[in-house]
Amino acid sequence: MKLPRWTGPVLLVAALAGGAFLAYEGLAPRPRSPEVSYTLLNGSQKHSGQWNGKVMLVNFWATSCTTCVAEMPEVVATYEKFKGRGFDTLAVAMSYDPPAYVANFVETRKLPFSVAIDNTGEVAKSFGKVQLTPTTFLINKRGEIVKRYVGAPDFAALHGIIEKLLAEG
């Protein structure tokens, strides 16, 4: 089958437009992490401004969420692997999760990172009305959201992204 003579230039323009779009998408600014204040289980008050210069994993979870409970050992392993290199983790328990259940989970599983209870739901709301758990955000050193996961992430791929983010200046 012979194509019309004008097909070549049309395909070239389409390819260039597609490439320009992809280049533009790569340059598009990433959304900023919201400014949030939160209370840790130990009662201390924290603010997202304290994340500056760190790669952060912010994990919204609940003790009643089977996927959350199943992924938590991987979240712990990720924290342990990268914690000495400018990486930190914050687990945010959803507002409907009873504080006693959260405290018991943290104690029995010996979670090594910070855990907050989002009593008012404001932290989840600030991150785009998080309702499904687990929902996890990966934030770079500049406070930009690099990746959002709904459900358990592919932890091997996540580790690769964290490595790249830690290497950034």
Side-chain angles (χ1 to χ4, degrees):
M1 177 171 122
K2 185 169 166 111
L3 296 175
R5 272 186 18 199
W6 55 265
T7 305
V10 168
L11 292 175
L12 177 63
V13 169
L16 289 173
F21 175 75
L22 292 175
Y24 171 76
E25 283 296 300
L27 296 175
R30 292 179 170 149
R32 302 261 329 141
S33 172
E35 298 276 327
V36 292
S37 295
Y38 51 95
T39 304
L40 297 181
L41 275 180
N42 66 11
S44 64
Q45 297 290 316
K46 300 289 182 176
H47 187 272
S48 57
Q50 296 168 307
W51 304 345
N52 291 340
K54 294 180 185 177
V55 174
M56 286 293 300
L57 189 75
V58 180
N59 176 255
F60 290 86
W61 68 290
T63 58
S64 59
C65 163
T66 56
T67 304
C68 300
V69 171
E71 81 169 357
M72 200 54 78
E74 290 280 356
V75 175
V76 170
T78 300
Y79 172 78
E80 293 293 350
K81 180 175 182 175
F82 297 108
K83 69 180 180 184
R85 299 174 49 199
F87 174 82
D88 205 353
T89 299
L90 173 66
V92 181
M94 299 298 282
S95 60
Y96 54 80
D97 212 354
Y101 289 18
V102 175
N104 182 55
F105 186 94
V106 170
E107 187 176 318
T108 59
R109 307 302 198 289
K110 307 231 182 298
L111 299 186
F113 41 76
S114 298
V115 178
I117 299 179
D118 190 13
N119 290 323
T120 63
E122 283 302 311
V123 179
K125 184 178 176 186
S126 296
F127 271 87
K129 298 181 182 169
V130 172
Q131 293 178 334
L132 300 175
T133 56
T135 295
T136 304
F137 294 86
L138 183 60
I139 302 166
N140 68 16
K141 295 176 186 178
R142 294 179 302 282
E144 300 165 328
I145 297 173
V146 174
K147 196 97 168 127
R148 177 180 190 235
Y149 301 92
V150 177
D154 172 342
F155 280 93
L158 173 63
H159 288 192
I161 297 169
I162 292 170
E163 287 284 359
K164 289 178 185 169
L165 293 176
L166 289 172
E168 289 180 355

